[in-house]
Amino acid sequence: MNEKRKVKQGLVRLKTKEGRYVEEDKSLADCLNEYFCSVFAEEKEGKGPQLGENTKETFTYQFTEEEVLQQLSKVKTNKSMGPDGIHPKLLKELSDVIAKPLTDLFNQSLLTGVVPEDWKLANVVPIYKKGSREESGNYRPVSLTSVVGKLMETMLKERIVEHLKTHRLQDQKQHGFTSGRSCQTNLIDFFDWVTKIIDTGGAVDIAYLDFSKAFDTVPHRRLINKLQSLSLDSNIVDWIRQWLSDRQQRVVVNGVYSAQGLVTSGVPQGSVLGPILFNIFISDIAEGINGKVCLFADDTKICNRVDVPGGISQMTNDLGKLKKWWELWQLSFNVDKCKIMHLGRKNPRAEYRIFDTVLTSTSEERDLGVIISEDLRVCSQCNRAAGNASRMLGCVGRGISSRKREVLMPLYRALVRPHLEYCVQYWRPYLQKDIDILERVQRRATKMVYGLKEKSYQERLNDLNMYSLEKR
């Protein structure tokens, strides 16, 4: 099924900034690398606002051979190797032999702050997002880095997370890249607050904020400043500083490499440390804001009640504080993609501005994969979920000739039902027509099984040892 689901149309040609088209693999790689390097931000002089005393702690943490062996046992052998050419399968099969020298290498690197050059080079794979395939801006750069370097990154990440938990430094508003949290917890936490106000006859305004190339534009000096304020081991902070500095990247297209480009800002997408470093950098964005704020990585939304005296001005002030945060930390908003949603019958539908630009009002917004409408009904989400699931079920039906339950039902559970149940704990339909739209897909799936077509839906469910979607 994975083979049949692969998109056949790949990277064929790109439009350069001069307006001409390129098609050769080398030219495509150079064109993409030029664009990816162009989005890096130029950090202003200075470290940024001082958050606290720089850590003076001496080196107290060392990796053990048991830790390294444990990480080697978790290596996935089907993953791609990095620029150093060391395949993960080699590392896993020789784990008993290389665990000791790797432990010495990691400890020496952390103690001296010297990061091997191979660990600073990334092979960038362009991943298509949406829009025209001929525009470089419609591709996301995902970095393939050294597998050996990732082993050390993983252990450092565990150390940083443990430090944040121990000292209660984790941002409670952040749901992305955080253990025990997800898109689902983000939606439930945020909209539980919203719906309580709406249920009492109130009105709220939600601002959906979009950062411009957030992961690629994190300023390094300001990031290190924030790491120092957390009182991490000075060796860990120094190692991360060296790991971020003088990085190089090159784009790979069909095995052909572009010229290398210098990475001057951001955290590598595809690295182990990147997500936790980004979370640390953005953790104080909600300080001083009075409204409800929820984050999933860089996806930020803020909400205020606006049918009470001072509600609109409070929302305006909160947006002003976010503007000041941007000016201090140099992570810019894409104002054209920022939206305002007005909820509630008595909503005054006020206008809001960021940098003198009026935020666009929207009646429907896709929030972490779930369609949110201003009337808070879920019919649009039900139609979308049912449509995606139905198309996938059709793909299974066309691609698999067997109609045995042992073949069809695992495919249904793995590929079709997740579309019907993604974050359903938040948007669970309550109208019968919406329930029927979703149930219709499972009805069709159970009918595809050999020998069950003539039976009733409930009999088919009993025979397959399944529940209706409504009961699930």
Side-chain angles (χ1 to χ4, degrees), residues 243-269:
W243 179 73
L244 288 172
S245 64
D246 301 321
R247 295 190 67 88
Q248 301 275 341
Q249 70 174 36
R250 59 187 182 183
V251 173
V252 186
V253 176
N254 298 325
V256 179
Y257 297 103
S258 70
Q260 291 187 9
L262 184 64
V263 179
T264 58
S265 68
V267 290
Q269 298 185 58

Side-chain angles (χ1 to χ4, degrees), residues 169-431:
L169 297 170
Q170 288 181 308
D171 180 15
Q172 298 304 311
K173 297 178 176 62
Q174 178 63 262
H175 293 255
F177 310 121
T178 305
S179 176
R181 296 191 167 204
S182 62
C183 296
Q184 181 173 291
T185 61
N186 178 294
L187 291 167
I188 291 175
D189 177 33
F190 187 78
F191 284 98
D192 179 58
W193 189 87
V194 170
T195 50
K196 282 178 180 176
I197 295 174
I198 300 297
D199 286 346
T200 59
V204 298
D205 283 345
I206 302 175
Y208 286 97
L209 304 173
D210 184 81
F211 285 100
S212 180
K213 306 292 182 184
F215 281 81
D216 296 322
T217 56
V218 172
H220 290 165
R221 287 194 298 271
R222 283 165 168 74
L223 171 59
I224 295 300
N225 188 22
K226 289 196 174 185
L227 291 176
Q228 289 173 332
S229 72
L230 300 176
S231 296
L232 285 165
D233 285 340
S234 59
N235 290 73
I236 293 179
V237 177
D238 290 339
W239 191 92
I240 293 174
R241 180 192 285 112
Q242 292 299 322
W243 179 73
L244 288 172
S245 64
D246 301 321
R247 295 190 67 88
Q248 301 275 341
Q249 70 174 36
R250 59 187 182 183
V251 173
V252 186
V253 176
N254 298 325
V256 179
Y257 297 103
S258 70
Q260 291 187 9
L262 184 64
V263 179
T264 58
S265 68
V267 290
Q269 298 185 58
S271 66
V272 177
L273 279 175
I276 186 68
L277 294 180
F278 183 83
N279 277 0
I280 289 171
F281 184 77
I282 204 174
S283 61
D284 62 345
I285 191 173
E287 283 187 7
I289 290 179
N290 296 310
K292 175 72 174 177
V293 181
C294 245
L295 298 98
F296 190 90
D298 62 322
D299 287 330
T300 307
K301 48 184 176 276
I302 177 173
C303 181
N304 272 288
R305 184 167 185 170
V306 293
D307 64 320
V308 295
I312 295 175
S313 62
Q314 181 172 296
M315 184 69 160
T316 303
N317 291 337
D318 286 347
L319 292 173
K321 290 173 183 175
L322 289 174
K323 176 186 172 184
K324 288 182 179 178
W325 186 91
W326 170 79
E327 291 170 342
L328 286 173
W329 298 106
Q330 299 179 22
L331 198 65
S332 59
F333 290 109
N334 186 346
V335 181
D336 293 334
K337 291 186 178 180
C338 295
K339 304 285 182 63
I340 284 285
M341 182 179 287
H342 307 287
L343 284 73
R345 294 180 181 177
K346 298 177 181 178
N347 197 299
R349 308 186 78 84
E351 276 189 356
Y352 302 98
R353 295 173 179 267
I354 295 182
F355 305 110
D356 298 325
T357 302
V358 177
L359 298 186
T360 306
S361 178
T362 180
S363 60
E364 200 170 80
E365 185 71 12
R366 188 175 172 185
D367 186 356
L368 301 179
V370 176
I371 297 177
I372 309 295
S373 59
E374 62 181 7
D375 59 6
L376 290 179
R377 295 189 179 181
V378 297
C379 56
S380 295
Q381 172 62 20
C382 290
N383 289 329
R384 179 177 171 276
N388 290 340
S390 186
R391 282 189 290 273
M392 181 54 66
L393 184 59
C395 182
V396 171
R398 291 188 301 272
I400 302 296
S401 58
S402 173
R403 290 296 176 261
K404 292 181 179 179
R405 66 184 65 191
E406 295 84 0
V407 175
L408 285 180
M409 285 301 101
L411 288 173
Y412 167 74
R413 288 191 290 267
L415 301 176
V416 180
R417 196 165 66 188
H419 288 288
L420 302 171
E421 297 188 337
Y422 171 73
C423 289
V424 74
Q425 287 83 350
Y426 159 67
W427 59 269
R428 186 187 69 82
Y430 52 91
L431 297 178

Side-chain angles (χ1 to χ4, degrees), residues 58-273:
T58 56
F59 178 70
T60 57
Y61 178 67
Q62 279 195 324
F63 303 112
T64 63
E65 193 173 336
E66 289 73 23
E67 280 182 283
V68 176
L69 265 173
Q70 186 179 15
Q71 293 303 324
L72 285 169
S73 68
K74 296 177 183 177
V75 169
K76 296 181 179 178
T77 57
N78 61 336
K79 297 296 182 181
S80 300
M81 58 185 176
D84 55 7
I86 300 176
H87 200 281
K89 188 173 183 180
L90 180 72
L91 295 173
K92 189 163 189 175
E93 293 191 354
L94 296 178
S95 58
D96 292 337
V97 180
I98 63 175
K100 179 66 168 64
L102 278 183
T103 305
D104 295 339
L105 171 66
F106 294 158
N107 283 327
Q108 193 67 14
S109 177
L110 188 59
L111 180 63
T112 61
V114 177
V115 180
E117 293 300 318
D118 282 348
W119 297 2
K120 295 185 180 185
L121 177 61
N123 288 339
V124 173
V125 178
I127 304 297
Y128 171 72
K129 295 187 292 184
K130 59 182 178 180
S132 171
R133 290 180 179 269
E134 297 178 352
E135 297 291 335
S136 300
N138 293 330
Y139 291 85
R140 183 190 308 280
V142 174
S143 300
L144 294 178
T145 55
S146 167
V147 180
V148 179
K150 283 184 176 179
L151 293 175
M152 184 168 177
E153 287 180 51
T154 302
M155 292 186 288
L156 283 176
K157 177 194 170 185
E158 291 175 353
R159 172 67 173 169
I160 293 170
V161 170
E162 179 187 348
H163 177 86
L164 296 177
K165 285 183 178 177
T166 302
H167 296 86
R168 297 183 179 179
L169 297 170
Q170 288 181 308
D171 180 15
Q172 298 304 311
K173 297 178 176 62
Q174 178 63 262
H175 293 255
F177 310 121
T178 305
S179 176
R181 296 191 167 204
S182 62
C183 296
Q184 181 173 291
T185 61
N186 178 294
L187 291 167
I188 291 175
D189 177 33
F190 187 78
F191 284 98
D192 179 58
W193 189 87
V194 170
T195 50
K196 282 178 180 176
I197 295 174
I198 300 297
D199 286 346
T200 59
V204 298
D205 283 345
I206 302 175
Y208 286 97
L209 304 173
D210 184 81
F211 285 100
S212 180
K213 306 292 182 184
F215 281 81
D216 296 322
T217 56
V218 172
H220 290 165
R221 287 194 298 271
R222 283 165 168 74
L223 171 59
I224 295 300
N225 188 22
K226 289 196 174 185
L227 291 176
Q228 289 173 332
S229 72
L230 300 176
S231 296
L232 285 165
D233 285 340
S234 59
N235 290 73
I236 293 179
V237 177
D238 290 339
W239 191 92
I240 293 174
R241 180 192 285 112
Q242 292 299 322
W243 179 73
L244 288 172
S245 64
D246 301 321
R247 295 190 67 88
Q248 301 275 341
Q249 70 174 36
R250 59 187 182 183
V251 173
V252 186
V253 176
N254 298 325
V256 179
Y257 297 103
S258 70
Q260 291 187 9
L262 184 64
V263 179
T264 58
S265 68
V267 290
Q269 298 185 58
S271 66
V272 177
L273 279 175

